[in-house]
Amino acid sequence: MRKAGLLPYGLVLAADFYLLPLCMRNTGSAMLLLLCVMPLTAFAVGVLCGVRRGFCPLLPAAAVLLFLPTIFLYYNPSAWAYGLVFGGIVLAGNGIGRIFYGKR
């Protein structure tokens, strides 16, 4: 599997982590985005990658690495755990998508 093939998935994750926080106006919208929209997007990216490319452990690692700078841009240092959570969500989605990889 080529690493360059992960670029579209990484770009969607980057948009998820860097552009969606710009829509946060108050605590309610921040919680909705951080706890619902962003994890669902990350899960969908993981599933889609798993269905199209099979299991790829680089994608969850990329999700963690992409999220880490956002801690200092949008959140506070207590948000570091979200990076691990998003990596786990992408990993789970990628594993579920892998189940359907051979069935296309």
Side-chain angles (χ1 to χ4, degrees):
M1 180 178 344
R2 293 181 340 188
K3 295 175 195 166
L6 295 177
L7 183 62
Y9 306 106
L11 289 175
V12 173
L13 286 173
D16 185 29
F17 297 151
Y18 289 90
L19 297 179
L20 282 180
L22 296 174
C23 299
M24 295 178 184
R25 298 292 173 229
N26 54 36
T27 304
S29 66
M31 290 298 108
L32 177 69
L33 287 172
L34 195 58
L35 298 177
C36 295
V37 177
M38 291 171 71
L40 285 174
T41 304
F43 183 75
V45 167
V47 169
L48 188 61
C49 180
V51 167
R52 291 189 176 190
R53 302 185 54 83
F55 183 74
C56 180
L58 292 176
L59 189 63
V64 171
L65 291 176
L66 282 169
F67 186 79
L68 289 179
T70 67
I71 294 170
F72 305 104
L73 291 172
Y74 301 114
Y75 311 112
N76 58 38
S78 67
W80 68 268
Y82 284 106
L84 299 177
V85 169
F86 284 128
I89 289 170
V90 172
L91 180 67
N94 195 237
I96 290 171
R98 170 59 181 101
I99 294 170
F100 300 102
Y101 174 63
K103 299 179 182 179
R104 303 190 295 139

